[in-house]
Every structure is written in structure tokens, then in C-alpha cells.
């Protein structure tokens, strides 16, 4: 199970990198920035199932880890204006950050996987991802608004 989920996470990292490259080739807008965390929010429904429920301490820890991870994504996500349109800037550092975060996630999963049941582990890593994506996208939106206003 550990290796299967790690392989899936690696594939998701590769897909995210590919999407990032494609996104930098087309202009962006506020919708493209804000919809992903809103769409991801539907995953919170998993916590209606008792097996996925976490303690408030676990929720807080997962969100704090996600927030810390988001700092690196925020630092490597910038915009530029070209021909009157706003584009996401390509950053090699972004790809490095994504795969370093993936490696950290894998190590964390190896350590807590034996201590926490599979459902709680899934819930924890979902909250880490959500806690990372929401601040990152909010920061991206703020940077986007600044570029549009300039």
C-alpha cells in the first residue's frame, strides 16, 4: 500500500509539473487561480465518515505543516505581463520544490504510516495538501491582482 500510494503521489507531482509548464504558455485569470482550492474543498466530505475523523490537534498540526510547505510554493510562483496579458512565470525552482515536498511527504508517511490507520493517514495528508494549496492560491491571487493593477 505504501509504495502504491507513493507511486500515485509521484505521478501527481509529474502531472502538476506538466500542467504548470502548459499553464505558463497561456494567459491566466482569477478563476484559474481560485477554482482549484474551491474544487478541492469537496474532499472535506471524507470527514463525515467516522474512520477519517481526526483530533483537533491532528487537524491543527496538518494545517500548520501545509502552511509551512506553502511558503516554498508562494516564493516560486510569480506572474509577468506580456502583450497586455498576465502569465504565470516559469520557474525551475518550482519543480525542485514540488519534488522535495513530495520526498518529505513520503518520509513523513513512512514514519506515521505504522502509527496511524490508513483512513486517518489519508485525512492528514489531505489536510496538509489543502493547508498548502489554499494559502498558495490566495498569495497567487494577490500577486495576480498587483500585476493586473500595474
Amino acid at each position: 500500500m505504501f509504495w502504491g500510494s507513493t507511486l500515485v503521489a509521484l505521478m501527481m507531482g509529474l502531472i502538476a509539473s506538466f500542467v504548470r509548464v502548459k499553464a505558463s504558455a497561456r494567459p491566466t485569470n482569477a478563476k484559474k487561480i481560485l477554482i482549484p482550492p474551491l474544487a478541492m474543498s469537496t474532499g472535506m466530505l471524507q470527514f463525515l465518515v467516522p474512520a477519517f475523523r481526526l483530533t483537533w490537534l491532528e487537524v491543527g498540526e496538518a494545517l500548520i505543516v501545509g502552511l509551512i510547505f506553502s511558503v516554498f510554493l508562494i516564493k516560486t510562483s510569480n506572474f509577468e505581463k506580456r502583450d497586455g496579458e498576465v502569465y504565470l512565470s516559469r520557474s525551475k525552482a518550482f519543480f525542485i520544490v514540488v519534488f522535495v515536498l513530495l520526498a518529505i511527504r513520503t518520509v513523513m508517511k513512512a514514519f506515521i504510516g505504522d502509527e496511524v490507520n490508513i483512513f486517518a493517514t489519508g485525512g492528514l495528508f489531505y489536510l496538509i495538501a489543502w493547508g498548502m494549496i489554499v494559502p498558495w492560491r490566495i498569495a497567487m491571487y494577490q500577486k495576480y491582482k498587483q500585476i493586473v493593477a500595474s
Side-chain angles (χ1 to χ4, degrees):
M1 184 64 84
F2 173 79
W3 292 110
S5 64
T6 300
L7 182 62
V8 168
L10 180 59
M11 288 189 315
M12 289 175 68
L14 289 171
I15 290 169
S17 297
F18 179 73
V19 168
R20 175 70 177 239
V21 169
K22 300 270 292 171
S24 66
R26 292 186 307 266
T28 194
N29 59 44
K31 241 196 287 190
K32 289 180 183 178
I33 295 168
L34 296 174
I35 286 178
L38 293 174
M40 188 181 174
S41 296
T42 61
M44 292 291 184
L45 293 173
Q46 72 183 311
F47 296 111
L48 295 176
V49 177
F52 286 94
R53 292 196 185 135
L54 304 170
T55 66
W56 286 109
L57 180 61
E58 292 168 328
V59 169
E61 289 171 344
L63 292 174
I64 288 169
V65 169
L67 182 63
I68 291 167
F69 285 0
S70 75
V71 171
F72 301 103
L73 293 172
I74 291 166
K75 294 287 184 194
T76 58
S77 297
N78 293 300
F79 296 97
E80 60 187 359
K81 230 178 196 179
R82 283 185 264 148
D83 302 324
E85 301 275 9
V86 179
Y87 291 81
L88 190 58
S89 300
R90 284 192 180 180
S91 167
K92 290 181 183 179
F94 176 82
F95 302 112
I96 294 167
V97 166
V98 166
F99 287 102
V100 167
L101 292 177
L102 180 61
I104 292 169
R105 176 199 174 279
T106 302
V107 169
M108 288 170 54
K109 189 173 180 186
F111 280 110
I112 70 166
D114 294 335
E115 304 296 322
V116 181
N117 76 54
I118 192 166
F119 299 108
T121 301
L124 282 170
F125 282 99
Y126 169 82
L127 285 177
I128 289 172
W130 195 78
M132 177 174 60
I133 289 170
V134 169
W136 173 43
R137 291 300 179 129
I138 290 170
M140 285 178 69
Y141 179 67
Q142 290 172 337
K143 288 178 182 183
Y144 171 80
K145 284 192 333 186
Q146 288 174 347
I147 281 276
V148 167
S150 66

